[in-house]
Amino acid sequence: MNNVRNIILAAILTIAMTMPFLTRAAGHDEGGVNVKEVIFHHLEDGYGWEVPFSHVYRIALPVIVRTQDGKWVSFSSSRLSKLVEVPDTIMGGTMKVAVPQIVTVENGDTDYHFVLAHESKHKNKIVQIFPLDNGVTQSMVENIAALSDDGIADGYVKFDGTYYREYRPFDISITKNVLALFISALIVTLMVLSVVRYYSRKGMKAPRKGMGFMEMLIDFIYTGVIKATLGKKAKKFAPFLLTCFFFILTMNLLGLIVIFPGGANLTGNISVTLVLAVLVFIVTNVTKSKHYWKEIFWPDVPMFLKFPLPIMQFIEIFGIFTKPAALCVRLFANMMGGHMIVITLTLLIFIFAAFGALATGGSVVISVLFTIFMLALDVLVSFIQAYVFTLLSTLFIGMSHDDGHSHDTVNEGGNQPASIDI
């Protein structure tokens, strides 16, 4: 019991000591914290990977873009900003802050200028900038910006008080999320190869510790989900479905780790979950049976429901796309929601700081306890969401291979029927 108390006390003291630094990073608006800005800052992608507990220093990543005239250029993301010292109004003295700057890249006889846009339609994206031309003046762009709802002139970016004509280049930069995807894929590959290497060396000897946990997960998903649903076709789709499970699980767990290589909000990014859902959509519809399309275009329902008005056909075709859409949104919403709750609970400390020392102390205790609870819950949710995605994907694939004669299939090596109805 004393050990638990010591851990909680240490956590409270750590947060209390780092509070000034976190408050600086969050930014102030007359002593307050912009909660929305801080939350989305932590959830969105970036051209650099923040060093733990620092919003100034970042791990530089390569920027690769195609310019307006069709040439490819690359440079380090560290060039997008520079460190300058400014007065520290909270702690006294000075502190370093990252200030955006224009990047000039030479390619042949041409200089290309880029900047990380902030006051632009392409906020937080790299844009190529040009001086104003065709008789357009600064005052004219300011008038255009003043007439818009968001105060931004379309086609122009404001940087350091000056407007430039902007061009959004084709961008294949290695961003934080892209690097995190590579790391997740590498981890999954190493885990799978370690299992293969173990059985190639020691035959059918039961593994222990971490390898035993891997075997338990593989057997749980394969036997309890894939084989129970697909029966004799389980071996055909097991590699794809098991890869989905471990890839999603790895991304979920890495997203809960604060320090590198964790911290990237991959499954809370709808672009990532959309690609996973599209892959399931392709596998489901490319490997389908003939009966699958028969049920789509001429289902076994009363004639007036499918002719002359193709009511059921419309519903079935619509269902082809809603199934992967549900996979995409379910995973995205659950994981992003978990990250947002944890960040919001942490920000309660700074929100209640405006009410005095007593409120701040109470909010620290409550925030720490609830954050620890939510992180533990997010670990469980990470497993559940990976399992649910794999389960639903297996069911969708199983439905596409229904032969129309029976919904019960005898499993390999067993007599347990497997239902593919949902």
Side-chain angles (χ1 to χ4, degrees), residues 193-409:
L193 291 180
S194 65
V195 175
V196 174
R197 190 183 307 111
Y198 177 88
Y199 282 106
S200 64
R201 290 179 179 178
K202 300 188 178 182
M204 298 305 294
K205 183 179 178 181
R208 297 175 179 273
K209 298 181 180 179
M211 197 66 63
F213 182 70
M214 274 288 295
E215 184 190 38
M216 181 194 71
L217 285 178
I218 294 172
D219 182 69
F220 174 70
I221 297 300
Y222 179 75
T223 304
V225 177
I226 303 174
K227 190 175 180 181
T229 302
L230 300 179
K232 294 182 180 180
K233 297 180 180 179
K235 289 184 178 180
K236 179 179 179 181
F237 297 99
F240 170 72
L241 294 169
L242 284 170
T243 301
C244 286
F245 173 79
F246 282 104
F247 190 50
I248 294 172
L249 178 61
T250 302
M251 289 190 294
N252 289 347
L253 294 178
L254 281 179
L256 300 179
I257 302 173
V258 178
I259 61 175
F260 181 85
N265 182 36
L266 287 177
T267 45
N269 186 320
I270 198 167
S271 299
V272 175
T273 59
L274 177 62
V275 171
L276 293 172
V278 168
L279 291 176
V280 175
F281 173 81
I282 293 173
V283 171
T284 301
N285 291 280
V286 169
T287 64
K288 79 300 177 201
S289 65
K290 292 181 179 180
H291 182 75
Y292 173 74
W293 290 118
K294 185 264 179 187
E295 286 296 317
I296 296 293
F297 294 106
W298 200 255
D300 293 328
V301 295
M303 181 63 71
F304 71 90
L305 290 176
K306 56 186 177 181
F307 184 83
L309 294 177
I311 299 174
M312 288 304 300
Q313 288 91 327
F314 175 79
I315 294 174
E316 292 292 341
I317 293 174
F318 185 69
I320 293 176
F321 298 97
T322 55
K323 290 185 179 71
L327 289 177
C328 169
V329 175
R330 180 193 299 271
L331 180 59
F332 159 71
N334 280 282
M335 297 314 300
M336 186 186 70
H339 285 276
M340 291 183 68
I341 291 173
V342 171
I343 297 172
T344 304
L345 288 173
T346 304
L347 289 177
L348 286 177
I349 299 172
F350 313 115
I351 294 172
F352 281 96
F355 298 97
L358 183 62
T360 303
S363 65
V364 167
V365 176
I366 295 174
S367 295
V368 169
L369 293 178
F370 274 96
T371 300
I372 293 173
F373 171 76
M374 283 305 305
L375 284 173
L377 186 61
D378 275 345
V379 174
L380 177 62
V381 171
S382 297
F383 281 89
I384 292 175
Q385 290 305 315
Y387 172 78
V388 170
F389 188 97
T390 308
L391 174 64
L392 293 177
S393 300
T394 307
L395 290 173
F396 296 155
I397 293 173
M399 293 173 66
S400 69
H401 285 78
D402 182 17
D403 58 9
H405 299 294
S406 174
H407 290 286
D408 295 327
T409 306

Side-chain angles (χ1 to χ4, degrees), residues 117-138:
H118 291 290
E119 296 185 55
S120 164
K121 293 289 186 182
H122 306 290
K123 186 176 181 180
N124 295 329
K125 301 296 182 182
I126 290 179
V127 295
Q128 185 180 356
I129 60 174
F130 307 87
L132 298 182
D133 53 10
N134 297 327
V136 178
T137 63
Q138 295 287 328

Side-chain angles (χ1 to χ4, degrees), residues 12-28 33 53 55 88-92 95 349-350 353 360:
I12 294 173
L13 290 175
T14 301
I15 291 180
M17 292 173 63
T18 58
M19 190 185 304
F21 304 101
L22 294 174
T23 305
R24 289 180 194 159
H28 285 74
V33 178
F53 311 111
H55 286 257
D88 189 344
T89 58
I90 299 176
M91 304 295 293
M95 64 178 180
I349 299 172
F350 313 115
T360 303

